[in-house]
Amino acid sequence: MTQRIVLTGSNGFVGQAVSRLLLAKGNQITGIVRRPAPSVDGLHSWLLDTDDFNDIESRWPADLRCDTVVHLAARVHVMRDRSEDPLAAYRETNVAGTLRVARAARRAGARRFVFVSSIKAVAESSDGREPLSELVPPRPVDPYGVSKLEAERALTEYGSTSGLDVVIVRPPLVYGPGVRANFLQLMNAIARGVPLPFAAIEARRSMVFVNNLADAIVHCAMDRHAVGRLFHVTDGHDLSVVELVRMLAWQLHAPGRFLSVPPALLRVAGRLTGRSAQVGRLLDEFRVDSRHITGVLGWQPPYTVEQGLLETAAWYRATH
């Protein structure tokens, strides 16, 4: 059934993938964006040039009715955050801003609100434990993760009092064509043939290909069984860092060069250079259990991790 869907962050990395898939299914999509930018063909955009969705309720167009909102926009990791109070800055966007969108959407007729959170709302690693399921008590460790967990809880409370059906999705690292940040830096290093000190690292980490995540989000927006649920979403196949680099090197037609550096030494180097968090993301096991969405919605990732990495590498070769 065709839906009227409002999508925040529609011109972003994940937002474009979600927009394309929703439009392909015949839905009417309006994207909320902060600044003009190229968008997916067929997507209508509403320019809301305020910070943290301030005044969204008063500015909401009278003729913009919707059935569902997919909320992707967020303050994400800021590597060199210069805010006087980083947690307050994350809260203003990720908690207060999210609630502003939810209230405005409810007034516009929305019945469902799909909130894309993060696995960082739960933890930074799964060391010594089974893969992280939705039943694991959350213990976020940085302002981003804390703000995402607080937004989940605030939305759940708002939904229970307003009648808005809330669905929460927690992805791990997302990759695919257009990826930025650490994943892009890794591909840059591989393409240049830089020897990487990963040969002794055995930890596995969950990821999700952007088109797999988009497909899961669309299921959450349209499947009645998703109402009130919380889902972890992954590719379903966890790679070690060495496996990841080897796959990317082969697909980038580059040599995969490794140095065998003891993990303990890498941790020391991380502390000395102020990069403990970045080193930990390489050394610590971070596996996520996504079987719940399969059991409830029958969802399976439409792309394998090999296919996802192949598309990512093809984009990189064409643009770099």
Side-chain angles (χ1 to χ4, degrees):
M1 185 179 78
T2 298
Q3 288 197 40
R4 299 165 299 178
I5 298 176
V6 167
L7 177 64
T8 70
S10 58
N11 56 359
F13 171 47
V14 178
Q16 292 186 49
V18 174
S19 298
R20 285 191 290 268
L21 191 52
L22 286 170
L23 287 166
K25 293 181 178 294
N27 298 285
Q28 300 175 20
I29 313 299
T30 299
I32 302 179
V33 297
R34 286 189 59 194
R35 57 186 63 87
S39 63
V40 174
D41 289 343
L43 175 72
H44 301 284
S45 293
W46 167 31
L47 182 64
L48 180 68
D49 56 351
T50 64
D51 292 334
D52 307 322
F53 296 98
N54 281 301
D55 302 324
I56 186 173
E57 290 187 74
S58 62
R59 295 193 183 195
W60 193 283
D63 60 348
L64 179 56
R65 307 296 293 175
C66 66
D67 304 303
T68 297
V69 170
V70 176
H71 186 50
L72 288 163
R75 178 182 173 88
V76 296
H77 292 290
V78 180
M79 298 304 294
R80 294 177 178 84
D81 199 331
R82 294 181 174 84
S83 303
E84 292 184 7
D85 186 345
L87 180 55
Y90 278 104
R91 280 173 168 158
E92 185 59 25
T93 302
N94 296 346
V95 184
T98 296
L99 285 175
R100 291 180 188 120
V101 175
R103 287 193 292 264
R106 188 68 178 130
R107 288 183 58 186
R111 298 185 299 274
R112 185 175 302 190
F113 193 97
V114 180
F115 176 58
V116 180
S117 182
S118 168
I119 197 61
K120 288 183 177 292
V122 183
E124 287 285 344
S125 74
S126 59
D127 279 358
R129 290 176 287 182
E130 294 295 316
L132 300 173
S133 77
E134 293 83 351
L135 299 177
V136 170
R139 294 186 180 88
V141 300
D142 67 5
Y144 172 71
V146 169
S147 68
K148 282 293 195 177
L149 179 61
E150 290 179 354
E152 291 179 10
R153 290 172 171 172
L155 271 177
T156 300
E157 182 178 354
Y158 175 72
S160 67
T161 58
S162 68
L164 183 66
D165 296 329
V166 174
V167 187
I168 297 168
V169 178
R170 288 179 182 156
L173 182 149
V174 185
Y175 68 95
V179 69
R180 294 290 183 261
N182 291 335
F183 203 95
L184 179 58
Q185 292 178 19
L186 177 63
M187 287 197 292
N188 286 336
I190 295 169
R192 294 197 305 268
V194 175
L196 300 171
F198 302 153
I201 301 175
E202 299 179 354
R204 295 179 176 271
R205 298 181 70 88
S206 296
M207 304 186 301
V208 62
F209 179 45
V210 65
N211 289 343
N212 283 339
L213 176 58
D215 191 75
I217 290 170
V218 170
H219 273 72
C220 289
M222 305 184 74
D223 192 322
R224 62 184 178 86
H225 296 102
V227 171
R229 301 283 191 165
L230 164 65
F231 298 118
H232 292 176
V233 178
T234 77
D235 286 337
H237 181 188
D238 303 332
L239 300 177
S240 69
V241 177
V242 173
E243 289 172 331
L244 172 62
V245 171
R246 283 178 176 156
M247 280 190 184
L248 285 172
W250 181 75
Q251 292 162 349
L252 291 171
H253 311 306
R257 293 174 175 159
F258 297 97
L259 300 174
S260 185
V261 180
L265 187 57
L266 289 174
R267 291 190 191 276
V268 170
R271 288 195 294 271
L272 292 175
T273 59
R275 295 176 175 270
S276 292
Q278 292 93 320
V279 172
R281 284 194 282 271
L282 291 171
L283 300 179
D284 297 336
E285 190 102 342
F286 199 4
R287 299 178 61 207
V288 179
D289 185 343
S290 57
R291 290 176 296 178
H292 183 53
I293 190 171
T294 299
V296 175
L297 304 186
W299 179 80
Q300 295 284 352
Y303 299 87
T304 65
V305 67
E306 291 84 1
Q307 290 171 320
L309 291 174
L310 183 62
E311 289 198 20
T312 307
W315 161 80
Y316 183 90
R317 292 198 309 272
T319 57
H320 290 74

